[in-house]
């Protein structure tokens, strides 16, 4: 990913309302969410939500498709993956060992279902969601 594209994506995510919308759409998976549902769940006015979705789409982070009268938004996993890869390569570039604890924690969070997920310890002493 080019630096300019990464900066645009990070700027789009650097707004509380857009970040909330992106998280909702990401949680919806490949089925996506209708624009009105994004507005309702974020507590935003329709025009504010529409503006936020347009900024996210312009940055390439989400894509839209028409389903009847609704516009359904879903995450552009290719772009989101490129952004994550860009950040990892850019920050870890020369000293990946410095970031090993971060990646271990990140993998644990992913396995557990995300930050804040409730976990129970199973009989093997491992955390499970």
């Amino acid at each position: 990913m080019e630096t300019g594209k990464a900066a645009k994506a990070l700027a789009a995510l650097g707004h509380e309302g857009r970040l909330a919308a992106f998280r909702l759409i990401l949680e919806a998976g490949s089925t996506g969410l209708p624009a009105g549902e994004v507005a309702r769940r974020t507590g935003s006015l329709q025009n504010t939500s529409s503006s936020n979705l347009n900024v996210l789409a312009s940055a390439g982070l989400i894509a839209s498709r028409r389903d009847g009268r609704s516009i359904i938004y879903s995450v552009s996993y290719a772009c989101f993956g490129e952004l994550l890869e860009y950040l990892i390569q850019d920050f870890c570039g020369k000293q990946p060992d410095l970031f090993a604890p971060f990646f271990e924690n990140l993998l644990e969070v992913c396995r557990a279902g995300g930050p804040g997920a409730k976990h129970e310890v199973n009989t093997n002493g491992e955390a499970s969601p």
Side-chain angles (χ1 to χ4, degrees):
M1 176 176 272
E2 297 174 5
T3 301
K5 186 175 179 183
K8 187 173 183 179
L10 291 170
L13 293 172
H15 177 274
E16 189 175 342
R18 291 191 296 265
L19 183 58
F22 183 77
R23 290 178 78 182
L24 281 174
I25 295 167
L26 185 61
E27 289 172 6
S30 60
T31 58
L33 278 178
E37 185 67 13
V38 173
R40 187 185 69 76
R41 289 193 193 179
T42 59
S44 300
L45 297 173
Q46 187 67 40
N47 61 343
T48 301
S49 182
S50 179
S51 177
N52 287 338
L53 293 170
N54 284 333
V55 171
L56 291 168
S58 176
L61 291 166
I62 61 173
S64 63
R65 69 181 187 281
R66 186 167 288 282
D67 184 14
R69 294 179 58 196
S70 297
I71 298 176
I72 309 296
Y73 288 92
S74 56
V75 170
S76 172
Y77 291 102
C79 181
F80 186 47
E82 285 178 26
L83 178 61
L84 294 175
E85 184 179 346
Y86 173 85
L87 291 172
I88 290 167
Q89 287 179 351
D90 193 53
F91 294 123
C92 296
K94 308 259 187 297
Q95 298 178 319
D97 293 344
L98 292 176
F99 291 88
F102 166 76
F103 290 117
E104 289 171 14
N105 186 44
L106 180 63
L107 288 172
E108 186 62 34
V109 168
C110 290
R111 284 187 203 107
K118 295 183 180 179
H119 309 287
E120 295 179 8
V121 177
N122 62 23
T123 57
N124 296 332
E126 299 171 342
S128 62

